Each structure stands twice: as structure tokens, then as C-alpha cells.
């Protein structure tokens, strides 16, 4: 999808800037002061030479020298304050933008999460947001300072000598044209390098995520060869960036050198003729450098806008995705009552109908199994009960109240979801257990571990609840991951527990043991078990088979 460039998501970029406009104005004011201070040293140097050295007035030499020291110290102090305030404002802005995008992502329907790769989302969250934030703040301040520096330096040259100001002013459009010619080429090569860097990152993600499989298939050599090819291509693109960057900088450097020679010749002639003082010539040379330097920055502002526009278009694709209603809007969820799917039909966009008039009732304390082949829609059924998808027709009801009218956050406080691949994060054991119950005490967390049969395992951990858990829980076994997810569910004290393929990673003996743990730990809590291994579960109240969009009871 190509978004409308006139409908880019600038509003969420503007809002955090507006909220911090006072800090931004202070920073701009300080930049103005820093620019004015930067214009003072050449003028002081001119006065020191002409009114001190050339006039034989040592006291004035000392005075102007001390003034230069004072200006230098003031400039250094101001630059330090500007940098600290800039870093603070920049980091705050980036965090605000990331929060806005993450809030949007967390409200996407489940189907949209599945449609986008993790690497793609990470590149937008990290790379594109950083580029936008850099343009919104860094480029704004840089452009402001460069424009002030250019105007101020030209004005100071005009104060010293109007004819030489006109000579220098003629060089400004020449440098502008040169950079305007080469900067787009440089930007195109930088974008190509960035795109290839994404491929290299993808290579490392694939390699590290599936390292044992590559080892087990003796595929080390092909991976090394692919890395070699990627490395050579990255080097080729990097050399292209360096070459075009050199050519881009060559013109301004030559123009600056020619301008300096012309200024020395013209200014030297005027000094000899007595129409210009030596100190003024020295100051003119300093101001010349201050004229030429900002032009590259102002041209870079155009390049920054181009990069920011590309990033904005990529982010606009995400913001164009339809989202679920806010989880905080809606009625409070009833504390009791049956959970009912009534004549529910559902289909993903552009896909055949998945459910057609599906009915299901979950009463208090029921243990219900839904089994079916892969692709039948078992996980989608869980998503409907969680409120992460909405029926095409029919209703999901909680205590005779339509789920879509409830606050999703309030409803999910009553529901625990144990996934097929439990979501364990890189954190301590205690932090993982408290993800859905942050107020749970250590005693409650340990009791939950004991209830799911992990008491002995926990006692063998020397760090206790501080035991580190790796990404995705790879530091524990599949059975332990399932039980940790169940212990986390117990801490939230739910009225409904949804278990999506909870025994998928377990052997038959371990699966039946896990089912026994479910019965003992959950007691009269309502349970809906989604599985294609129905033989592992006993003491069911009802058992259904999901096939061809229908849910048929097959006995308990």
C-alpha cells in the first residue's frame, strides 16, 4: 500500500513538539546567543590587531585578548548547556514518538500482527522513528543555527567591506548548486547501504535464532559463504557512499580555497592601497569560513527532509492499519455469568469464511475442550474470546452483555491466556510471574509455583525469584515453560483460563501430568482448552470438534 503523502502522520509528530514548545523556544534562544558569540572572536581579533598591535597600544591588546577569552569561555559554557538540554529534549521526544507508535501497534488486530514481520516492525520502530525525530529536532536546530550563522557572517563581511561581501556572496550560490547536484546521489547510495544493512541484520537474526538447526544440518559453510557475499556487497556499497561523499565535499572545499585566495588577493591589494586594515583582512578570512560552512548544513536539511519523508511514508503504512477500540473505553465487565458465543461468523479480510454461525457456552467451572486440525480456526476462537478480533456477525457475550461494549482492559483482567509458546521475557523469574499481577507478593508467587508442580525445581534455584529467564524462556524446558505460564495465570486469579495447545511441546506422559496439574491448580475456574491432542485431557465437561467452520459436540 502506498500512502497518500498529503496524509502522512505528522499530527503525532507535531503534538509532542507542541507540548514541549517552551523547552524548544529556550533551546532556539540559546542557539541564537551561541551564534552571536561565535561572530564575536573575528571582530575582536580585528580590533586587537588594528587598534592594539598596529597602533602600539599594549593595554588594548591585553583588553581584547581578555575579551576573547571571556567570549570563548562563555561560548563553551553555553554550548555545554545547549548540548545537555538538546539531549534531554531529543530523548524525551523520541520516547514520546515510540510510545505513540507502540500504543498504535498494541491496538492492531491479531491478523495484522501476523501479517508483518518482527524485523520490519523493528526497523520502523527504531530506524524510521529515529530519522523522523532527528529531522524534527536536530535538523530544525541545525538549520536555524546555520541560517543565522550564514546571515550573520555575510553581514559582518558587509560591515567590514561591501565589495568583498559581494564577492563572497557570489560564491554562495555556486556552492549551493554543487551540493544540490551531488547530495541526492549521496543520499541514494546511503539509502541503498541502509537497505543492505537491513539484509545483514536479517541474516544475523536468522542465524542466531536457529543456530542449533544450522549446526544439526551441517550448514555452517553455506552460512559463512552467504555472510561473505553479504560482506562484499556491503563493502561495495560503503565504498560507493565514500566516493560520492568525497566528490560532494570536493566542490565546496575547492570553492572555499578559491574564495580564500580571491579574498587574500583582493583584500591584500586594499591593504596595500590603505583602504583596508590588516586586522580587517584577518577577520574577513575568518568570516569567509563561517559563510561557507553553513551552506552544506542547509543543503543537508533538504536531504534530511527527503529521508524523513520516506520514513514518514513507512510509518504511515502502520498508522493506516485499522485498530481495535481503546482498551479503556466501555462498560465494566460483569463479575459472573456464562460466556457465550452466539451465531458467530468470522472471516479474515480477503479470506474465505472461517466460522459460520458458531455457538458455544462456557458455564462457571466448566472444563471444555475444542479440538480440530491445523487451520480450522482454534486460535482465532481464542482471539474472539479475548476481544482481539470482532465477529463478522453474531455476538460474544459475557453475562448476557456483548463483549464489544465492555472495556477490553477490564475484561482481560478476568481472563488468563496460556499460549502454545508461552511469552516469557528476558527478566527474572519473579518479574515473569508478575507480568499480569504486578502486585503479587513473593509468597504468592512461590505458592503459585508450588501449585503447578514447580516447587522442587524452584527450591533448587540458588537465586530464587531472581533466577534469570532468557528470551522466550529457552533457559527452561518446554514443560517448565508451560507450568510457569500456568503459575502466572494463577496469580491473576482469573474467572476464565484459555489454554492454546498447552501440551503441544510435551510427550504423552508429561501432557497427562500437566492435565492433572490443571485440574488441581485451577479447581472450579472455567477452562477452555484448544488442542489437537484431545486424548491428553480427562474429566471434561464437554468436548467439541471444530471443522469446516462448524463446532460440533462430540461428547465428554
Amino acid at each position: 500500500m502506498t500512502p497518500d503523502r498529503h496524509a502522512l502522520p505528522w499530527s503525532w509528530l507535531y503534538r509532542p513538539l507542541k507540548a514541549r514548545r517552551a523547552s524548544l523556544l529556550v533551546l532556539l534562544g540559546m542557539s541564537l546567543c551561541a551564534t552571536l558569540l561565535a561572530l564575536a572572536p573575528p571582530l575582536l581579533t580585528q580590533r586587537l590587531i588594528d587598534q592594539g598591535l598596529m597602533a602600539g597600544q599594549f593595554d588594548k591588546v591585553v583588553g581584547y585578548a581578555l575579551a576573547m577569552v571571556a567570549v570563548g569561555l562563555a561560548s563553551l559554557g553555553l554550548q555545554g548547556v545547549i548540548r545537555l538540554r538538546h539531549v534531554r529534549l531529543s530523548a524525551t521526544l523520541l520516547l514520546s514518538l515510540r510510545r505513540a507508535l507502540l500504543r498504535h501497534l498494541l491496538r492492531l488486530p491479531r491478523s495484522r500482527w501476523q501479517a508483518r514481520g518482527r524485523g520490519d516492525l523493528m526497523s520502523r520502530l527504531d530506524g524510521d522513528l529515529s530519522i523522523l525525530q532527528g529531522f524534527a529536532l536536530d535538523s530544525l536546530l541545525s538549520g536555524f543555527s546555520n541560517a543565522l550563522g550564514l546571515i550573520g557572517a555575510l553581514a559582518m563581511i558587509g560591515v567590514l567591506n561591501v565589495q568583498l561581501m559581494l564577492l563572497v556572496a557570489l560564491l554562495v550560490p555556486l556552492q549551493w548548486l554543487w551540493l544540490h547536484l551531488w547530495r541526492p546521489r549521496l543520499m541514494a547510495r546511503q539509502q541503498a547501504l541502509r537497505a543492505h544493512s537491513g539484509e545483514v541484520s536479517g541474516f544475523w537474526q536468522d542465524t542466531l535464532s536457529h543456530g542449533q538447526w544450522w549446526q544439526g544440518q551441517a550448514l555452517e559453510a553455506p552460512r559463512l559463504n552467504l555472510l561473505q557475499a553479504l560482506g562484499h556487497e556491503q563493502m561495495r556499497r560503503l565504498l560507493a557512499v565514500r566516493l560520492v561523499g568525497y566528490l560532494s565535499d570536493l566542490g565546496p572545499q575547492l570553492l572555499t580555497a578559491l574564495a580564500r585566495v580571491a579574498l587574500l588577493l583582493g583584500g591584500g591589494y586594499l591593504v596595500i592601497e590603505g583602504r583596508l586594515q590588516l586586522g580587517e583582512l584577518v577577520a574577513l578570512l575568518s568570516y569567509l569560513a563561517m559563510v561557507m560552512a553553513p551552506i552544506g548544513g542547509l543543503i543537508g536539511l533538504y536531504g534530511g527532509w527527503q529521508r524523513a519523508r520516506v520514513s514518514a511514508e513507512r510509518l504511515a503504512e502502520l498508522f493506516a492499519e485499522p485498530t481495535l477500540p481503546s482498551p479503556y473505553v466501555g462498560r465494566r465487565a460483569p463479575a459472573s455469568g456464562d460466556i457465550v458465543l452466539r451465531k458467530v461468523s468470522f472471516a479474515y479480510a480477503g479470506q474465505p469464511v472461517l466460522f459460520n454461525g458458531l455457538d458455544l457456552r462456557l458455564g462457571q467451572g466448566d472444563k471444555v475442550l475444542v479440538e480440530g486440525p491445523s487451520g480450522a480456526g482454534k486460535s482465532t476462537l481464542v482471539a474472539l474470546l479475548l476481544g482481539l478480533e470482532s465477529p463478522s456477525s453474531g455476538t460474544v457475550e459475557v453475562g448476557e452483555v456483548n463483549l464489544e461494549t465492555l472495556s477490553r482492559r477490564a475484561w482481560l483482567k478476568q481472563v488468563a491466556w496460556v499460549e502454545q509458546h508461552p511469552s516469557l521475557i528476558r527478566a527474572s523469574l519473579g518479574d515473569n510471574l508478575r507480568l499480569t499481577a504486578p502486585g503479587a507478593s513473593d509468597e504468592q508467587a512461590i505458592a503459585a509455583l508450588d501449585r503447578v508442580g514447580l516447587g522442587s525445581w524452584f527450591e533448587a534455584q540458588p537465586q530464587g525469584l531472581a533466577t534469570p529467564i532468557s528470551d522466550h524462556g529457552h533457559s527452561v524446558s518446554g514443560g517448565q515453560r508451560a507450568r510457569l505460564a500456568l503459575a502466572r495465570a494463577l496469580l491473576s486469579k482469573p474467572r476464565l483460563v484459555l489454554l492454546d495447545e498447552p501440551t503441544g511441546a510435551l510427550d504423552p506422559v508429561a501432557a497427562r501430568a500437566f492435565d492433572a496439574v490443571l485440574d488441581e491448580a485451577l479447581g472450579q475456574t472455567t477452562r477452555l482448552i484448544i488442542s489437537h491432542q484431545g486424548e491428553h485431557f480427562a474429566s471434561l465437561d464437554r468436548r467439541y470438534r471444530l471443522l469446516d467452520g462448524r463446532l460440533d459436540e462430540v461428547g465428554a
Side-chain angles (χ1 to χ4, degrees):
M1 175 183 65
T2 302
D4 180 2
R5 291 187 177 182
H6 299 290
L8 296 178
W10 296 116
S11 59
W12 60 267
L13 178 61
Y14 170 72
R15 281 194 296 269
L17 279 174
K18 182 180 178 182
R20 294 160 182 83
R21 60 184 178 275
S23 298
L24 185 58
L25 288 173
V26 169
L27 204 53
L28 290 174
M30 296 175 74
S31 297
L32 173 60
C33 293
T35 300
L36 295 176
L37 284 174
L39 293 172
L43 184 61
L44 292 172
T45 302
Q46 178 262 321
R47 299 293 174 85
L48 184 150
I49 294 173
D50 293 337
Q51 298 179 15
L53 293 177
M54 302 303 293
Q57 300 290 325
F58 185 69
D59 58 333
K60 289 189 176 181
V61 171
V62 173
Y64 284 122
L66 291 176
M68 291 175 67
V69 171
V71 168
L73 291 175
S75 180
L76 286 174
L78 185 57
Q79 288 293 340
V81 174
I82 289 175
R83 288 182 183 180
L84 290 176
R85 292 186 68 94
H86 175 267
V87 168
R88 183 182 184 87
L89 183 57
S90 179
T92 303
L93 177 62
L94 182 59
L95 176 60
S96 179
L97 295 176
R98 283 177 171 166
R99 280 176 57 88
L101 183 55
L102 181 59
R103 183 182 297 111
H104 181 82
L105 291 176
L106 291 177
R107 294 180 183 179
L108 291 179
R110 170 177 169 270
S111 55
R112 300 315 304 158
W113 274 99
Q114 294 175 334
R116 293 193 176 274
R118 184 171 59 181
D120 175 72
L121 290 175
M122 284 301 300
S123 70
R124 298 177 197 238
L125 271 170
D126 190 19
D128 291 316
L129 268 186
S130 297
I131 289 173
L132 265 186
Q133 171 264 343
F135 177 77
L137 187 59
D138 300 350
S139 296
L140 173 64
L141 293 174
S142 174
F144 180 74
S145 298
N146 284 324
L148 285 178
L150 177 62
I151 295 170
L154 277 174
M156 293 305 298
I157 293 175
V159 169
L160 294 171
N161 189 283
V162 175
Q163 291 85 356
L164 292 178
M165 183 195 73
L166 294 175
L167 174 64
V168 172
L170 288 175
L171 297 174
V172 172
L174 293 177
Q175 184 176 2
W176 181 281
L177 288 173
W178 180 275
L179 291 175
H180 188 71
L181 173 67
W182 283 98
R183 281 298 174 92
R185 301 180 185 184
L186 177 60
M187 187 177 68
R189 283 158 179 79
Q190 287 174 333
Q191 288 176 340
L193 177 62
R194 178 183 165 197
H196 186 70
S197 297
E199 294 181 21
V200 175
S201 298
F203 165 85
W204 283 113
Q205 185 174 355
D206 290 342
T207 301
L208 297 177
S209 297
H210 309 289
Q212 291 185 347
W213 188 82
W214 299 115
Q215 288 178 320
Q217 298 297 306
L219 293 174
E220 292 91 343
R223 297 307 289 176
L224 290 171
N225 292 337
L226 179 56
L227 177 61
Q228 185 83 355
L230 289 171
H232 283 158
E233 178 62 18
Q234 188 170 32
M235 181 174 63
R236 185 187 69 80
R237 297 190 185 200
L238 181 60
L239 289 173
V241 168
R242 293 291 184 266
L243 176 60
V244 176
Y246 168 75
L247 294 174
S248 176
D249 294 337
L250 182 62
Q253 291 173 0
L254 288 174
L255 287 172
T256 301
L258 291 174
R260 187 176 292 111
V261 170
L263 194 59
L264 281 170
L265 291 175
Y269 176 78
L270 293 175
V271 169
I272 293 172
E273 290 290 314
R275 296 158 56 189
L276 189 71
Q277 295 183 349
L278 179 61
E280 290 176 332
L281 178 59
V282 173
L284 285 169
L285 290 171
S286 298
Y287 285 127
L288 172 66
M290 297 175 69
V291 166
M292 305 304 283
I295 298 176
L298 292 172
I299 288 289
L301 189 63
Y302 173 77
W305 156 248
Q306 295 294 328
R307 289 190 295 274
R309 189 174 67 176
V310 171
S311 294
E313 289 173 357
R314 283 166 51 83
L315 291 169
E317 293 179 3
L318 292 182
F319 275 88
E321 297 275 12
T323 60
L324 297 168
S326 169
Y328 303 98
V329 175
R331 301 169 54 184
R332 182 186 295 261
S336 61
D338 292 352
I339 300 160
V340 180
L341 277 73
R342 198 182 305 278
K343 303 297 181 184
V344 168
S345 297
F346 180 82
Y348 290 108
Q351 301 293 323
V353 173
L354 189 61
F355 299 148
N356 187 13
L358 188 146
D359 290 306
L360 177 67
R361 179 178 293 271
L362 300 173
Q364 176 63 39
D366 281 352
K367 179 183 180 183
V368 176
L369 171 71
V370 174
E371 56 186 341
S374 299
K378 301 187 299 296
S379 296
T380 301
L381 179 60
V382 171
L384 287 168
L385 288 167
L386 290 169
L388 302 181
E389 297 286 0
S390 297
S392 304
S393 63
T395 57
V396 179
E397 299 174 6
V398 178
E400 299 184 354
V401 179
N402 190 337
L403 179 59
E404 293 190 350
T405 67
L406 302 179
S407 161
R408 192 165 74 255
R409 183 175 184 274
W411 165 237
L412 294 180
K413 287 289 185 181
Q414 301 184 23
V415 181
W417 178 22
V418 178
E419 305 165 273
Q420 179 178 2
H421 305 290
S423 294
L424 299 178
I425 62 174
R426 183 194 294 271
S428 70
L429 171 61
D431 288 341
N432 272 281
L433 291 174
R434 295 189 182 98
L435 284 175
T436 56
S441 65
D442 288 356
E443 292 75 15
Q444 289 172 322
I446 294 171
L449 291 171
D450 189 58
R451 289 175 64 188
V452 299
L454 288 178
S456 299
W457 171 82
F458 174 74
E459 291 174 359
Q461 305 304 311
Q463 298 183 62
L465 291 175
T467 299
I469 302 295
S470 64
D471 281 336
H472 308 295
H474 291 318
S475 56
V476 295
S477 69
Q480 289 168 338
R481 283 197 295 273
R483 293 182 185 228
L484 286 174
L486 182 58
R488 181 168 62 196
L490 291 177
L491 283 177
S492 63
K493 300 176 182 179
R495 64 181 285 192
L496 170 65
V497 178
L498 302 172
L499 300 111
D500 190 358
E501 299 286 359
T503 60
L506 306 180
D507 60 61
V509 174
R512 293 188 180 94
F514 182 77
D515 180 50
V517 169
L518 283 179
D519 290 340
E520 182 177 351
L522 294 177
Q524 290 303 304
T525 302
T526 304
R527 284 156 282 169
L528 177 67
I529 303 168
I530 304 294
S531 179
H532 64 279
Q533 299 171 318
E535 67 277 7
H536 295 161
F537 300 94
S539 303
L540 296 169
D541 292 296
R542 288 183 303 283
R543 181 172 183 165
Y544 295 91
R545 181 163 182 80
L546 182 60
L547 185 66
D548 297 331
R550 294 173 53 84
L551 192 62
D552 297 318
E553 186 171 357
V554 294

